[in-house]
Amino acid sequence: MTAKPAFYITTPIYYVNDIPHIGHAYTTLACDVMARFKRLDGYDVMFLTGTDEHGQKVEKSAAAKGKQPIEFCDEVSQRFRDLAEFMNFSHDDFVRTTEERHKIACQALWRKLEDSGNIYLDKYSGWYSVRDEAYYTEGELLDGEGGEKLAPTGAPVEWVEEESYFFKLSAFEDKLLTWYDQLPETVLPKSRKNEVKSFVEGGLRDLSVSRTSFSWGVPVPGNDKHIMYVWIDALTNYLTAIGYPDMAGEAFQKFWPADVHMVGKDILRFHAVYWPAFLMAADIAPPKRVFAHGWWTNEGQKISKSIGNVIDPFEIVEEFGLDQVRYFLMREVPFGNDGDFSRNAMMSRTNADLAGGLGNLAQRSLSMIFKNCDGQIPVCGSLTEDDTTILAALDSQLDKVRDQMENQMFHKALEVIFNLESAANIYFNDQAPWALKKTDPERMATVLYVTAEIVRQMALLIQPFMPDSAAKLLDQLKIPADQRGFDQLGEVGRLASGVALDKPEGVFPRYVEAEKA
């Protein structure tokens, strides 16, 4: 038997100084959809998420709560695990940067960077933002209202002077530019790639990669008064989970280089400039792709704790339903762009696309089969041109969906699937099987068979996006668990006539807003 092709996708590991919000759910959901899609398409998938638990910001947050850093990290990291379970994410590993395996990986990478002559000891003096965990040049700073200096993100900065190890980032300009050009989709969307290229073309300065003014982090091997810069520590998680420093091991050999690092656009520079440079310096292949997605606003307003409009994923799922929220987040906005979360849009997607679209098609057709075909999948008689046209469109869906998924265009993949749902509802209404019941029961049976087959294939295709709802539809059609992969799409997996069905139940309920008290 041929080995399955490998596919490795990662979320950024989430910083534990805050509780999970919609942005965290969004990034991990995108990875979950991609991982599920690839598994169904015959790949051996590694899907990684986790928490980033070191750095000055965590040390300060823990102190503010009167807790030891590890105690604080244990609590917040657990919330991210809880969110992953709640959102039905299918990750294969959850890495914490406080684990021993991670410390071993970080220190091994550091030694490689040192041995290759890419790290040297000097003094750092410059502006540093604790909130962003980032260094800024004078030219990048903004003036605050009170005359104070601010980072381009609006975060406060402080002047730092301390002994520091530096990484020779300046030596990697040409190599990075070659990497961007050799692989056309190294950084997506293209606008983000242009942004990264122009940053590198503007000239790179060596990067301070250690701190001495706090102690919560991975010690520099051979000089433990230095703590590794949190971004060397955090980014190494992608190697930790596949067994680094054992580069000859099965997991490393199979899954590296990573296929996709999924990140928010605010941390693109760390992933698309610093990280590939660290890897090149350590003689490790850089990842195949970094995809930077956009941010969400809430009813047109920037989301912020001070305004009090943070979107809690637990709350919206409780209100609208898990798969409805998963569908909305992947469908509403072109993936890679910024998007707005609005209740009206959420209600519209839930009621029009799901309840009124696919849900309605499945419920009407399966109810008619249950009532009029002895509760069994009917026999498919001779096909008309209308039947063969819709079945041909149905059977060619996977290639179209796959094309969009390859570039993480989740919204377009769903558009392809739901365009077919619209065509299927038109087909069902035009054929009017309820009228054929008296005039031509054999034709009615064929129309109902074709419609049930459409429901089967659509249910297979929506599995990555709405796994629970897809499973309910496939259960109603009595599709065995081992016949739900994409290898069953098309003619090969056609429904078997005569299979007894249970009374169908609606899968996508309409959303009705609770009356205001």
Side-chain angles (χ1 to χ4, degrees), residues 317-322 324-325 343-361 363-364 421 425 469 472 505-514:
V317 166
E318 291 295 352
E319 182 176 0
F320 288 98
L322 174 57
Q324 286 81 349
V325 170
R343 291 182 60 77
N344 283 341
M346 181 80 220
M347 286 187 266
S348 170
R349 290 283 182 204
T350 299
N351 289 338
D353 299 12
L354 300 179
L358 178 56
N360 186 42
L361 180 73
Q363 186 64 9
R364 289 164 80 200
E421 171 270 310
N425 265 307
S469 305
K472 284 177 190 167
E505 290 177 4
V507 171
F508 295 110
R510 282 188 69 76
Y511 175 81
V512 180
E513 197 162 14

Side-chain angles (χ1 to χ4, degrees), residues 22-65:
I22 196 71
H24 303 118
Y26 183 56
T27 317
T28 315
L29 172 60
C31 293
D32 181 58
V33 166
M34 198 73 221
R36 287 176 181 274
F37 185 89
K38 286 290 186 179
R39 288 190 199 107
L40 289 161
D41 209 15
Y43 284 72
D44 187 356
V45 171
M46 171 70 177
F47 164 24
L48 176 68
T49 189
T51 44
D52 176 8
E53 304 180 16
H54 287 137
Q56 197 173 359
K57 194 160 48 167
V58 172
E59 194 174 72
K60 285 186 171 183
S61 297
K65 295 229 158 110

Side-chain angles (χ1 to χ4, degrees), residues 11 34 58 75 95 127 148 171 184 220 222 281 283-284 303 323 326 364-365 368 406 408 425 435 437 439 447 456 487:
T11 72
M34 198 73 221
V58 172
E75 284 178 16
V95 71
W127 296 102
E148 75 280 13
V220 166
D283 205 21
I284 299 170
I303 294 175
D323 279 356
R326 286 176 60 111
R364 289 164 80 200
S365 57
M368 273 201 78
E406 283 307 314
Q408 288 73 59
N425 265 307
K437 188 172 152 183
T439 59
V447 170
R456 178 188 78 88
D487 58 347

Side-chain angles (χ1 to χ4, degrees), residues 181-217:
D181 289 338
Q182 276 177 343
L183 291 169
E185 277 94 35
T186 317
V187 180
L188 286 177
K190 288 196 173 100
S191 58
R192 300 282 168 227
K193 183 170 183 172
N194 296 337
E195 186 185 307
V196 166
K197 275 184 78 173
S198 70
F199 175 74
V200 174
E201 284 164 351
L204 296 175
R205 296 180 312 133
D206 288 355
L207 182 69
S208 170
V209 288
S210 75
R211 302 290 308 276
T212 57
S213 51
F214 64 97
S215 59
W216 184 242

Side-chain angles (χ1 to χ4, degrees), residues 338-391:
D338 290 342
D340 186 48
F341 184 93
S342 93
R343 291 182 60 77
N344 283 341
M346 181 80 220
M347 286 187 266
S348 170
R349 290 283 182 204
T350 299
N351 289 338
D353 299 12
L354 300 179
L358 178 56
N360 186 42
L361 180 73
Q363 186 64 9
R364 289 164 80 200
S365 57
L366 298 185
S367 294
M368 273 201 78
I369 289 172
F370 189 75
K371 285 178 191 161
N372 302 294
C373 304
D374 298 325
Q376 297 176 355
I377 300 283
V379 172
C380 182
S382 56
L383 299 173
T384 65
E385 190 182 337
D386 287 342
D387 304 334
T388 54
T389 300
I390 194 125
L391 285 172

